[in-house]
Amino acid sequence: MGSDPSTGDVELRKLTHRTVADASELIDSHRFNVMVARIMELVNATRKAIDSGPGAADPAVREAVETVSILLSLVAPYTAEDMWAELGHEPTVAKAGWPKVDPALLVQDTVTCVVQVAGKVKDRLEVAPDISEADLEKLALDSDAVQKALDGRGTRKVIVRAPKLVNIVPA
């Protein structure tokens, strides 16, 4: 309590705020199971930050754990109440209010592009969200994993759906 989360690990903070934004949309569309999956992704990232990242004392870790408690209060209220009390908050997580999302933390610097050869995933590329189709095609074709999968065969067709997917059909 009392620590400024803005001084914490930026990547964990981005995931925390993205999770809150996603949870809001998922609740509105009654997709609670997907919301729980997003919460688990945040829990896993928080655990990783504690074990091999900035550590448990990082303010972003506390922000993430408090967020998990608030989000869980909708689907697992007893667990959320226990977490809230363990974090030193009173009286109840139900009065905590919905976490505020910082729009600056929702901006994505990169997206993951899946590269398939003959329908099988061969590589994943981290690219800018506004990459052109031509640049993405060149990156995909230059990938070592793609070259190995093509094994000297040429390409008959390259289907680019920038920035998320490149499908290469070998000759």
Side-chain angles (χ1 to χ4, degrees), residues 26 29 33 37 39-40 46 59-60 64 87 94 102 122 140 149 152-154 170:
L26 293 167
S29 61
N33 57 339
I39 294 169
M40 290 307 302
T46 305
L87 289 166
D102 182 351
K122 295 299 177 184
R153 298 178 290 174

Side-chain angles (χ1 to χ4, degrees), residues 2-3 24 29 34 38 44 48 71 78 84 109 118 135 169:
S3 61
S24 299
S29 61
V34 179
R38 294 289 188 280
N44 291 337
K48 186 175 179 184
L71 297 178
Y78 295 108
W84 199 246
D109 300 327
D135 290 342
V169 181

Side-chain angles (χ1 to χ4, degrees):
M1 288 194 330
S3 61
D4 181 16
S6 66
T7 62
D9 180 60
V10 176
E11 290 307 310
L12 182 58
R13 293 200 70 227
K14 283 183 176 184
L15 181 60
T16 300
H17 287 253
R18 194 171 313 116
T19 301
V20 172
D22 288 349
S24 299
E25 293 174 17
L26 293 167
I27 290 166
D28 289 343
S29 61
H30 304 286
R31 298 176 60 205
F32 301 108
N33 57 339
V34 179
M35 185 187 82
V36 171
R38 294 289 188 280
I39 294 169
M40 290 307 302
E41 289 171 3
L42 179 57
V43 168
N44 291 337
T46 305
R47 185 77 247 167
K48 186 175 179 184
I50 292 169
D51 292 343
S52 60
D58 189 294
V61 170
R62 181 158 184 101
E63 178 186 37
V65 173
E66 288 174 344
T67 300
V68 166
S69 180
I70 293 168
L71 297 178
L72 271 182
S73 70
L74 300 173
V75 291
Y78 295 108
T79 303
E81 287 297 339
D82 287 346
M83 285 178 68
W84 199 246
E86 198 67 33
L87 289 166
H89 293 295
E90 290 183 13
T92 175
V93 71
K95 293 187 177 188
W98 197 249
K100 301 274 188 267
V101 175
D102 182 351
L105 293 172
L106 298 179
V107 177
Q108 287 187 300
D109 300 327
T110 62
V111 293
T112 302
C113 174
V114 174
V115 182
Q116 297 178 336
V117 175
K120 294 187 170 100
V121 175
K122 295 299 177 184
D123 204 355
R124 286 176 174 34
L125 305 172
E126 290 296 319
V127 297
D130 58 351
I131 190 169
S132 71
E133 288 187 3
D135 290 342
L136 186 56
E137 180 178 338
K138 180 171 177 8
L139 275 175
L141 290 172
D142 289 345
S143 163
D144 291 337
V146 169
Q147 288 301 318
K148 185 178 175 184
L150 289 174
D151 195 30
R153 298 178 290 174
T155 58
R156 186 168 34 147
K157 187 186 234 182
V158 179
I159 303 165
V160 180
R161 291 191 177 89
K164 302 255 181 172
L165 176 69
V166 176
N167 193 4
I168 301 167
V169 181

